Each structure stands twice: as C-alpha cells, then as structure tokens.
Amino acid sequence: MTSPPAPSPAASVLELAPVVPVVVLSDADDAVPLARALVAGGLPAIEVTLRTPSALEAIRAIAGEVPEAVVGAGTVIAPEQVGGCVAAGARFLVSPGWTAALLEAMHGSGVPFLPGVSTTSEVVALLEHGVREMKFFPAQAAGGTAYLESLAGPLPQARFCPTGGIGPATAPEYLALPNVGCVGGSWMVPADAVAAGDWARIEELARAAAGLRDAGGTCR
C-alpha cells in the first residue's frame, strides 16, 4: 500500500483532520503500527496522552518513524512537561485545562497548542491572552453541542476541538457547528484492537471517522 503524503505544516491543529484520535498507550512498541494504521485511514493528527509511563517514548517513536503523522502530546497539565514533549517530537500540545504558568509554557513551546476550557469565563480569559483555538472538555458533560452553539454568537472568534464523550454518532453534530474545527475521540482506537494488534480494524475505523465531516452537513 502506498503511504499517504506527509501533511503540510499547519499553524492550526484544527485544520489537519475532522477527528483527532486520543491515544493511550501502555506499550510504546504499539505506537508505530498504530500511527501507520491511523494515517492510512486518513487521520494524520494523533494525540498521545501523557497518562502512561510509555507516552514520551511512543511520541518519540511516531515522530521518528511515521513522518506522515502529526503527533502531539495530550493531558499536558504542568509547565515542566512541555519541554520534554517537544523534545520527544510532539508537534502540538493539548491540555484538559490551563493555568497562567501552563499557558506561558505552551506559548513558549514553539508548537500549536489547545488549552482546555469548559466555561464561558475560561474562553474569554484565553481570548484576552490572544488564544483563539481551544479544547472544549469534557464536551458532553459540559453542555455538548447546545453549549458550543450558544458561544458562537457572542464569541465567534473562538474555535474549538470538543473532546470527551464523543463518538461516531455525535461527532457529525459537533462538526456541523461553525465554531468547531475538529473533534477528539478514542472510538477508532479501541483497547481490545490495540491489545490484539488488529491494525486493519483500526485503519477501517479511522477511515470511517475521517469521513464524518461530510456527515455533518454544513461544516467546513
């Protein structure tokens, strides 16, 4: 199979693909075949969460061996994590929330980042800092599409990657919103498929996810 071309450099994570897989890896040896399956399915942006000791090694492996992928680090919650993630090869950063110190570290990282928000006040605060692209988390629990739609009127300059509780049935509803650039989710990387090394199944799920933007109707 011919590999897809490497994605062009992007200043925005939101423009890479309609869905960003949120990946938790316990074994870094799974990182490369998993990333290749996701890229082959049309999902080049891959968020590897810092929830396991293998995360940085997994990011390093994907960055070094899967050039078609745009690998990022997720669950970044402390300023001191930022440098290690970028040194490992992370090309974007995602946090579930933010503080002034974490925001400063991400600003200085030299890579795009998505700080997490779940309230209007947090959105306004980030806009004051010049940040216009954010993670909306936990999306379903924090109000879902109705909440995001209500933000589009007073805060049209803010754009979001909703993550948390989103699946293939609800993703198109998010992607149809004018202030949503992409969504994050883990349904295309089920734990049993990763454990079994069923990369063909993951590629198939990724391909279906990559086509969800069209299912949303009026999205970009």
Side-chain angles (χ1 to χ4, degrees):
M1 178 183 298
T2 302
S3 297
S8 300
S12 170
V13 181
L14 304 187
E15 304 299 335
L16 291 169
V19 179
V20 176
V22 179
V23 175
V24 180
L25 285 171
S26 298
D27 188 345
D29 288 343
D30 292 328
V32 168
L34 175 63
R36 287 176 175 155
L38 291 170
V39 170
L43 300 181
I46 303 168
E47 176 189 335
V48 177
T49 68
L50 302 184
R51 301 180 193 177
T52 69
S54 301
L56 287 181
E57 186 181 351
I59 291 170
R60 190 174 294 110
I62 295 171
E65 299 185 45
V66 193
E68 315 95 284
V70 181
V71 64
T75 320
V76 179
I77 59 173
E80 56 268 25
Q81 293 176 312
V82 170
C85 291
V86 176
R91 293 170 61 183
F92 64 91
L93 305 170
V94 183
S95 68
W98 64 279
T99 64
L102 179 57
L103 189 63
E104 181 179 4
M106 291 192 293
H107 256 305
S109 68
V111 300
F113 58 93
L114 296 174
V117 297
S118 61
T119 69
T120 306
S121 294
E122 291 170 326
V123 175
V124 172
L126 282 179
L127 291 173
E128 285 186 354
H129 286 283
V131 178
R132 289 175 168 77
E133 297 188 346
M134 313 165 193
K135 171 179 178 172
F136 180 57
F137 176 84
Q140 288 290 90
T145 55
Y147 193 94
L148 285 172
E149 188 172 14
S150 71
L151 293 181
L155 301 170
Q157 64 271 57
R159 297 180 70 221
F160 301 94
C161 172
T163 305
I166 299 174
T170 54
E173 300 171 8
Y174 283 93
L175 292 169
L177 297 176
N179 55 353
V180 169
C182 64
V183 300
S186 58
W187 73 86
M188 74 299 298
V189 285
D192 60 337
V194 175
D198 191 349
W199 313 124
R201 178 185 171 200
I202 289 174
E203 180 180 339
E204 181 181 358
L205 291 169
R207 185 169 291 107
L212 287 177
R213 185 180 297 285
D214 294 336
T218 59
C219 46
R220 292 164 304 284

